[in-house]
Every structure is written in structure tokens, then in C-alpha cells.
Amino acid sequence: MATEALREPADPRTRRARVSELEVVRHHFDRAWDSLGLSDDARQIFWEPYREVSVQIPIKLSDGAMHVFHGFRIQHNGARGPYKGGMRFHPEVDIDEVRALASMMTWKTAVASIPFGGAKGGVNVDTRGLKEEELQRIARSLLDKIDKVIGPNRDIPAPDIGTNAQTMAWMMDEYGKLNGHTPACVTGKPISLEGSYGREAATGRGCVIMFEEAAARLGIDPAETTFTVQGFGNVGSWIARAMRELGAKLVAVADQDGAIRSEAGIDADRLVEHVHVGGGKLTEYPEAEEIETGDFYEVPCDVFFPAALGGMVHEDNAPILACRVMVEGANNPTTFAADEILADRGIYVVPDLIANAGGVVVSYFEWVQNLQHFRWEEPAVNDMLRSVMKRTFGEVLHRAERDGRSLREAAFEIGVDRVVEASRTRGYFS
Ligand code: GLU
């Protein structure tokens, strides 16, 4: 009921897609599978997850009532290395969404050429209004229940929507109680607990690096651009700060509470101060004008960064998007119908599979540092991030231009091809 209400607001421009994320990923996977000419009988091996763990998390909250949450960890494919992916705490988490996101991680790590498979987990909990101590119990309980299937050489969780470095610290601690201190069992940890410099900002920074690559291809000067951001959590707020470093102007921001706009430009640091430090509502930010959430899509800009939930760009708002470039900070923000509308309108789309890979790339660096009990300084991490993102963009662009594909099609083809190749080489199938 709650989910339906969230998915069907009065203004159709602001709803989430009716097509599920699992259907969206299946569509892109099937297209890649067919264009690679792979055999039909092996398709199921690469589409279905290897292992799905679903657990019950009963917690008595401070309202005095017992709440039964559902927790998941889905390991999609491990041909290229240990399973890797985030843990999402959000009321709309369900098993199909986690399946879709786990599969995305498999192709994402493959396109970025980092030695991991793909996984995702989550709990269907609304973290807003929960006490820190309640969140801690949920995080520890989930970890206890999936302990047997994770570990630094098996499956390495990380933050996602609704979780952060603190959540990872609790999970690392819980894993340590059961198995001995093992910092490489999760990534995205606090700096004080063997987290990596640069990890918190990495997904947002990576999106901006991808925008710089796209801008170079299109002959756009990033310093002269205007941009809008949907979602002002970790990814959106770091996109805003990294774009500001390039000299770009933030002209509108939207989140679950509404949207704001300023033609003079919104100061990303002050907005972070207002929302993240001060705990204020986005719509109450004093230095911008509040607008209808649906009107956010129509704000003219050079680049639009969707960095909220999946399914936010669909046939009711793709026709009105007033940008030249869209860089997907979120996972699965765009339905396949919207993809076609954007392509017809000549909007250049940098797809999630490569655009938001910066988070897992720096997770890889964190894991490597933990395994060696070593630490790189932040500039070194950021340089390595840039070189992986540039290489990834270059490989995908090359294939797209060579074969007449969109960047999304090319990225899926490269990802699927590499996973199939690893699987074949291991001797799993011929
Ligand atoms: N949750 C992030 C993602 O969707 C990061 C995953 C990770 O670092 O393992 O890519």
C-alpha cells in the first residue's frame, strides 16, 4: 500500500516507473546477450543469481512495537572474483529490486575491469526517524544472519542508499566478533577504521569524471555549464561539490521533499551545510526558490544528474527534460521507453553501468589497502579513480562508435562478454 502510494503521486512527472528495475536490467542484458551471439541455453546461467539469502529481522523499536523487517543478500555472479555490492536500507527494497541491483554490479565491475563479481543486499526499512541505536541493531542483525556467505574472499558489502560509513563500521565489528578482525570484509568504512581516503566522495566524483569525458567528446567546456541534480544524498551532494570545483553552475536540485531552483546558482557547500550538517529540508534552503517537483525536469541545463532512486526517468518526464547530457548517478534511473525518447531527442546519456562505477572502484582500492594493511593518500586514490574511469569510458565509447551502439548497449556488451569469458576460462561451460 505504502509502495503504491509512493509510486503514484498526483503529478505523473514525479512518479517512479511502472516497469520494474528487474525488467529494465533484463531488457538490456537480453539485448547484449543476443548481439554477442551467445547460445540461448546458457542465458539463464548468467541471468539468474547464483545465491539468494532472505532473512527475517524482527526488532522491537522505541514505539514499543515489534517490527519484522526483511533482509536480503543476493550474489549474482562470481566468475570474475568475490561478490561485491552495496547494502540498501529503504522502505521500497524488495527481492526483485535487489536482484536487479545485484546483476548490475556483475556488469559494472566487469566493465570497470576490477576483479569482483556482483551482489547486492538490503533491508525494507525506512531509516528516517529511526534512532541510531535502532539502525545499529538492524545492521548487526543482518550481518549475523548472512555471516556465512560474506567475507573478504567471498562477498564484500558496501554502503548504498540509506547506509553509510557508520553502518559499515557496525557490520565490520559484528563480522569481527564472529571471525576475528577483518577490515577487508566490507568497504566504505570510516577513515578511523581502515576506510579509504576518497571513498565517500568517489561515486559523485566518478560521475563528474565521466561528464568531463563526455564533455570532451561533445566539445563542451565543463566550466561553462549549468547542471541539475536529482537526489541530494551521498552521490548527489558529491556530484554538486565536484562540479563546483570545475566551475559549473548548479541551477536546480530535487529530493524526496521537493525541489529548488536558482538561476544565479546554488552554492553546493552551503546546501550541504543546510541539509547534511544542519538537518534542514532541501525546500527550506533560503538561497533558492522552491518549485514544483515536476517542474524540476523542465529546468534548462547542460547536464542533468539523476542521483536518487531507480525508475525516476520515464515516458512522463523524458519528453520534457531540458538538458543536453544526462549522467546517471543512480542505478537504473531510466526505463527503456525513456531511453528511446532521449535518444530521439539527441540527449547524450552516460549510463549508470559506467557513470556511477566510481564508488565500487574506490571500494576496490579500499579492499586492496585493507588486505595489505596499507593506506594511500587521497590524491593518489583520486588519480587512480580518474584513470580507471577514463579507461572505462574510452573502451565503451570505442565499441559504441565502432558498432553503432548507444553507450548503454556498448557497456552491457562489454560487461556480459567479460563475465562469460571468465566463466568459460574457469571451465564452467563451453
Ligand atoms: N552501492 C554502490 C553501487 O551501487 C557501491 C558498491 C560497492 O562499493 O561495493 O555501485
Side-chain angles (χ1 to χ4, degrees), residues 10-62:
D11 183 345
R13 294 173 300 178
T14 65
R15 65 173 171 82
R16 281 182 83 184
R18 293 194 184 96
V19 52
S20 76
E21 288 186 47
L22 195 61
E23 288 169 84
V24 171
V25 182
R26 174 82 205 215
H27 174 92
H28 298 309
F29 166 80
D30 276 343
R31 198 161 53 180
W33 190 268
D34 293 337
S35 61
L36 290 166
L38 294 162
S39 70
D40 227 11
D41 54 352
R43 185 189 307 254
Q44 196 181 352
I45 308 173
F46 293 88
W47 171 248
E48 284 180 0
Y50 164 73
R51 173 157 49 196
E52 304 189 338
V53 183
S54 166
V55 298
Q56 193 189 60
I57 305 180
I59 303 265
K60 195 168 190 169
L61 296 180
S62 54

Side-chain angles (χ1 to χ4, degrees), residues 59-67 131 134:
I59 303 265
K60 195 168 190 169
L61 296 180
S62 54
D63 60 5
M66 181 64 85
H67 293 254
K131 295 197 172 74
E134 294 169 326

Side-chain angles (χ1 to χ4, degrees), residues 115-153:
F116 289 131
K120 200 82 171 196
V123 179
N124 64 339
V125 58
D126 189 351
T127 58
R128 290 193 295 172
L130 283 195
K131 295 197 172 74
E132 184 154 296
E133 179 268 328
E134 294 169 326
L135 287 172
Q136 176 168 180
R137 280 195 284 141
I138 294 168
R140 286 186 187 274
S141 176
L142 174 62
L143 195 286
D144 280 342
K145 289 166 183 168
I146 61 166
D147 163 62
K148 290 288 173 286
V149 298
I150 68 161
N153 299 313

Side-chain angles (χ1 to χ4, degrees), residues 35-36 399-410 413:
S35 61
L36 290 166
R399 188 179 187 114
E401 292 187 345
R402 187 195 67 191
D403 299 347
R405 303 269 194 267
S406 67
L407 292 180
R408 192 185 314 280
E409 289 164 342
E413 284 179 26

Side-chain angles (χ1 to χ4, degrees), residues 204-222:
R205 277 199 186 286
C207 290
V208 172
I209 295 167
M210 285 309 196
F211 169 60
E212 290 178 73
E213 293 301 299
R217 179 75 192 82
L218 299 170
I220 296 173
D221 175 3

